[in-house]
């Protein structure tokens, strides 16, 4: 006797939902049944919002922040101080620092942190791009503002070592990191 399963379209949705970070089988089921009860219009808006971020957003070619164009607004802003470079893990960290309004330099987004247990090594982050960016002979202060957790600390230590070969870089570690 075959095991009872959901109809194929529902199984497909459950499979996609379960691949999202932090969503287990139970959450996937809850979301799927919520969507089944939602109006077609609401479901369509959700699907369109997902497509829109993929189609309308890209990573800035210089700093890897999220951008609607090849270069982001911060990189294009001539009033930003090019002698200060703040290294963060994710675009959300840029947003967090920008909200404080206290920083007027540029950013470099690594798009992750070193996490050996999750199979994420430095070569999967934008570390080489950072190195070539700061190897232009410009004297600058590099602020390592990766998270204050184990992965963030390991990433900061790796980058500090990597940037030793960029002689004009002064490296500081933001004491607390990003919480
Ligand atoms: Zn940028």
């Amino acid at each position: 006797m075959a095991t009872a399963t959901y109809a194929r379209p529902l199984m497909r949705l459950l499979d996609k939902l379960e691949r999202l970070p932090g969503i287990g089988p139970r959450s996937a089921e809850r979301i799927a049944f919520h969507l089944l009860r939602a109006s077609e219009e609401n479901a369509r808006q959700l699907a369109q919002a997902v497509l829109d971020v993929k189609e309308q957003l890209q990573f800035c070619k210089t700093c890897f922040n999220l951008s609607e164009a090849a270069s982001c607004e911060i990189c294009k802003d001539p009033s930003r101080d090019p002698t200060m470079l703040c290294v963060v893990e994710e675009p959300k960290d840029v947003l967090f620092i920008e909200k404080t309004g206290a920083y007027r330099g540029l950013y470099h987004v690594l798009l992750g942190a070193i996490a050996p247990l999750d199979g994420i090594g430095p070569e999967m982050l934008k570390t080489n791009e950072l190195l070539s960016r700061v190897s232009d002979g410009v004297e600058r202060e590099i602020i390592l503002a990766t998270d204050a957790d184990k992965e963030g600390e390991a990433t900061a230590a790796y980058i500090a070592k990597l940037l030793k070969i960029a002689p004009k870089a002064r490296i500081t570690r933001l004491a607390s990191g990003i919480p």
Side-chain angles (χ1 to χ4, degrees):
M1 217 171 75
T3 327
T5 55
Y6 290 127
R8 228 173 320 165
L10 183 52
M11 291 300 284
R12 222 163 37 226
L13 177 60
L14 286 170
D15 177 58
K16 295 294 175 206
L17 289 172
E18 278 178 38
R19 288 165 199 253
L20 298 173
I23 307 285
R26 285 173 66 99
S27 303
E29 216 166 42
R30 211 159 45 230
I31 295 168
F33 279 99
H34 171 82
L35 291 171
L36 271 173
R37 285 192 307 268
S39 69
E40 190 173 334
E41 177 60 16
N42 275 339
R44 204 178 293 282
Q45 280 169 357
L46 174 67
Q48 193 59 51
V50 173
L51 286 175
D52 285 351
V53 290
K54 291 303 291 177
E55 282 163 11
Q56 295 168 17
L57 286 183
Q58 52 188 308
F59 293 110
C60 169
K61 65 176 166 48
T62 308
C63 75
F64 301 97
N65 189 17
L66 281 174
S67 176
E68 287 182 61
S71 284
C72 76
E73 295 302 318
I74 295 172
C75 286
K76 277 193 292 199
D77 184 348
S79 74
R80 307 289 302 211
D81 181 356
T83 67
M84 292 189 70
L85 189 65
C86 182
V87 180
V88 297
E89 294 181 16
E90 303 286 353
K92 70 174 165 57
D93 301 327
V94 173
L95 212 66
F96 180 83
I97 296 172
E98 285 298 291
K99 273 189 188 154
T100 68
Y103 178 71
R104 295 298 302 161
L106 299 172
Y107 292 93
H108 190 90
V109 184
L110 296 166
L111 298 179
I114 298 171
L117 292 180
D118 297 326
I120 302 171
E123 72 287 348
M124 295 166 80
L125 310 175
K126 299 296 178 192
T127 49
N128 286 331
E129 289 81 351
L130 172 63
L131 184 59
S132 54
R133 194 174 168 193
V134 302
S135 302
D136 56 0
V138 173
E139 225 170 290
R140 56 164 70 80
E141 179 174 0
I142 298 170
I143 304 149
L144 302 179
T146 50
D147 294 1
D149 57 14
K150 201 165 68 212
E151 290 80 13
E153 293 299 345
T155 308
Y158 175 85
I159 288 171
K161 217 166 108 188
L162 182 76
L163 295 188
K164 280 212 178 105
I165 53 176
K168 296 216 167 159
R170 271 174 300 125
I171 300 163
T172 51
R173 170 80 171 125
L174 194 66
S176 54
I178 306 263

